[in-house]
Amino acid sequence: MKKILLPLLIASSLLKSQTSINVFSQIVFYDGYAANVSQPVPANTLRLANSRYARKLTDTELNSFQNKIQMNVTIGALCDNYDRIGGVHIALVPKGQASYTMNDPQVKRIEVGRYITPFMNKNISPTEVPYTYEVNNLYAVFSNTALRAVYDIWVELDVFGVPYAANTQVAGCANRNDVFAGTLTFVTSNDPAVTNTFNSLLPLLDSNTLNNYNNTDVAGQTVRLVNFSLTQTASNASFFIVTTPHGAGTNGEEYVRRQNFVSLDNTQMLNFFPGGKSCEPYRMYNTQGNGIYGSTPKTTLWWTSWNNWCPGDAVPIRSFSVPSLSAGSHTLKYEVPDAGFYNQDGQVVLSIYMQGHSQNLSVKDISTVDVSIFPNPTADYVMIRGQKKVKQISVFTMDGRKLSETNGPKADLTAYPAGTYLLDILLEGNTRFTHKVMKK
């Protein structure tokens, strides 16, 4: 008997130690393109837009978080039957500010979870889809008393939906503008196996978009540079990245798996293709007929040949760490070299933030720069075009031998044999980065 009761007592003890913090319950989202609706919102909740709600976490809620945190999101079907992008954001709002807007320059945001809704018909079960995230790293945010002395911590839930197709395709949706319902709950407990050495937070990009900067259908170089400065060295500097390509037209970015690269101070840190897994486990949530799932199951090989994400699935949170990041200026480079944005359509939606450990980490300046480097490969010249003027380009061999240096946005590779070369590019404002180019 004792052998049976002991595991039950342990399980009961663990269950009691868990705390659930409900942030939103069945909150209704409306047409993302329409003017904000006037329907009442729950107490202590802001409607930032038809597609986004915010609620401030109370001190009692913040104090109840422990080092193990699971974030559960449920999206319910109303009158949008297409796949849409949504996410969870943590907003740092100046202390005591009772409300804010989407574009308030004093508010700093990080995206801590992203999801794609399935094709749902509200009249066919299942009518809800769950998304689960392990976000233990947020304990360092919620428990940071120094941060909380300066900012109130708000949670934002969003999903951008439109009802136009459902108005005619889904019974009961005629003339309606409600699109989805959302619920968000944190479940937290203490786990001795979880270690968290962060005490600082650095928001970098939140739902930032990369698109066809040069307005061309020719595949070029889609690059985002993020420049930031640290006043002190940060140890265990960890960068968290959420990214998805969008563009649902023919040959759109949603349907082409492209290689993504992430570099920090000219050292490559990540190299990946989004997606690449079977979407069959999420077929059950796609109750509205659609052109992605079709009427019959598909093989894993079929799915992995093209898919970047699955309607009905959570988007993975990618990360990398460096043991130490020195005080001073740094440049993070995110690039999708083969992005085509066919017919000038589509975008890559990118969010990045950093956590680290420092005695007193603060940020002097954060700036982002769009840069395009094209054509690549090239038979002769390479052009650099962006928001900042190109001051200088140096051409190097891959073993570090300098071949040329020129002022302005054009590098001449005509005289060099076919192969791979490194461009050292200096922009106005002293932003410097390197980039590989191919000579045909």
Side-chain angles (χ1 to χ4, degrees):
M1 179 66 71
K2 290 182 180 180
K3 289 183 179 179
I4 296 173
L5 286 177
L6 186 57
L8 293 175
L9 289 171
I10 293 173
S12 176
S13 175
L14 289 173
L15 184 62
K16 289 179 180 178
S17 68
Q18 284 189 344
T19 300
S20 292
I21 300 162
N22 181 253
V23 183
F24 300 104
S25 294
Q26 292 294 308
I27 198 159
V28 177
F29 296 90
Y30 297 89
D31 181 358
Y33 288 118
N36 276 8
V37 299
S38 59
Q39 278 85 344
V41 298
N44 304 314
T45 299
L46 294 180
R47 178 184 286 121
L48 299 176
N50 285 347
S51 58
R52 185 175 299 202
Y53 291 90
R55 184 172 81 75
K56 183 176 73 173
L57 294 179
T58 66
D59 284 338
T60 299
E61 289 172 327
L62 289 168
N63 292 337
S64 68
F65 279 98
Q66 301 179 76
N67 70 345
K68 186 174 180 64
I69 303 174
Q70 180 176 293
M71 184 172 72
N72 300 320
V73 175
T74 301
I75 299 298
L78 289 173
C79 288
D80 187 344
N81 56 342
Y82 271 69
D83 54 334
R84 309 296 184 187
I85 183 173
V88 181
H89 307 257
I90 302 299
L92 306 180
V93 181
K95 193 73 176 177
Q97 186 172 315
S99 65
Y100 64 98
T101 64
M102 284 288 291
N103 300 315
D104 190 329
Q106 302 301 314
V107 175
K108 303 179 186 299
R109 288 184 175 90
I110 61 173
E111 186 175 9
V112 297
R114 186 180 298 177
Y115 47 87
I116 308 295
T117 69
F119 296 81
M120 289 191 290
N121 184 316
K122 72 178 185 66
N123 303 308
I124 303 174
S125 183
T127 57
E128 292 184 332
V129 56
Y131 307 91
T132 300
Y133 309 81
E134 184 178 283
V135 289
N136 299 336
N137 60 299
L138 292 185
Y139 177 67
V141 178
F142 297 151
S143 64
N144 190 323
T145 54
L147 185 72
R148 286 165 54 181
V150 180
Y151 296 103
D152 288 325
I153 298 176
W154 293 64
V155 179
E156 299 177 350
L157 180 67
D158 79 14
V159 55
F160 193 100
V162 292
Y164 314 140
N167 288 159
T168 59
Q169 296 174 1
V170 177
C173 281
N175 301 315
R176 286 175 55 172
N177 67 344
D178 53 331
V179 290
F180 295 103
T183 297
L184 190 158
T185 302
F186 292 106
V187 178
T188 182
S189 61
N190 185 62
D191 186 344
V194 174
T195 58
N196 196 323
T197 60
F198 304 132
N199 73 343
S200 56
L201 174 68
L202 176 57
L204 293 172
L205 300 177
D206 180 77
S207 301
N208 200 259
T209 56
L210 291 76
N211 52 29
N212 54 334
Y213 186 80
N214 289 299
N215 275 335
T216 175
D217 291 343
V218 177
Q221 297 289 324
T222 299
V223 180
R224 173 60 41 82
L225 300 179
V226 185
N227 308 305
F228 60 94
S229 297
L230 303 182
T231 57
Q232 291 188 351
T233 296
S235 60
N236 188 30
S238 298
F239 292 80
F240 298 87
I241 300 171
V242 182
T243 182
T244 46
H246 299 273
T250 303
N251 298 319
E253 294 302 299
E254 293 180 15
Y255 308 128
V256 184
R257 297 189 66 210
R258 304 191 191 277
Q259 201 165 18
N260 289 227
F261 298 90
V262 185
S263 301
L264 178 64
D265 296 333
N266 293 322
T267 299
Q268 185 175 300
M269 308 303 297
L270 287 180
N271 173 3
F272 64 91
F273 287 88
K277 70 177 186 180
S278 173
C279 293
E280 285 304 318
Y282 311 98
R283 176 180 290 276
M284 61 181 289
Y285 301 112
N286 289 265
T287 56
Q288 171 74 36
N290 61 85
I292 293 179
Y293 282 87
S295 58
T296 58
K298 305 294 193 300
T299 66
T300 298
L301 181 62
W302 184 86
W303 284 112
T304 56
S305 68
W306 67 271
N307 80 309
N308 288 293
W309 39 258
C310 300
D313 187 20
V315 173
I317 302 171
R318 294 178 170 84
S319 64
F320 69 88
S321 300
V322 294
S324 180
L325 198 58
S326 63
S329 297
H330 300 275
T331 298
L332 185 81
K333 182 172 72 167
Y334 192 98
E335 55 184 314
V336 189
D338 297 328
F341 304 111
Y342 190 74
N343 283 335
Q344 302 180 16
D345 181 39
Q347 59 192 1
V348 176
V349 181
L350 175 64
S351 292
I352 305 175
Y353 66 95
M354 188 197 88
Q355 287 182 280
H357 191 277
S358 178
Q359 186 176 0
N360 183 24
L361 178 62
S362 62
V363 184
K364 295 178 184 176
D365 180 61
I366 301 172
S367 62
T368 64
V369 183
D370 278 340
V371 181
S372 287
I373 302 155
F374 63 97
N376 188 10
T378 182
D380 41 39
Y381 295 95
V382 176
M383 294 293 298
I384 291 85
R385 186 178 299 171
Q387 296 162 307
K388 289 189 176 183
K389 183 179 179 180
V390 179
K391 294 177 65 176
Q392 188 180 84
I393 305 171
S394 299
V395 180
F396 289 84
T397 62
M398 290 302 293
D399 60 5
R401 183 165 52 91
K402 188 173 183 178
L403 299 177
S404 66
E405 181 178 292
T406 185
N407 296 325
K410 189 175 184 179
D412 185 358
L413 276 64
T414 306
Y416 309 135
T420 303
Y421 296 88
L422 274 180
L423 301 185
D424 181 80
I425 302 166
L426 177 64
L427 303 179
E428 192 175 44
N430 293 322
T431 296
R432 176 174 243 116
F433 67 101
T434 61
H435 199 82
K436 287 182 183 178
V437 294
M438 295 287 296
K439 167 70 185 300
K440 294 188 287 189

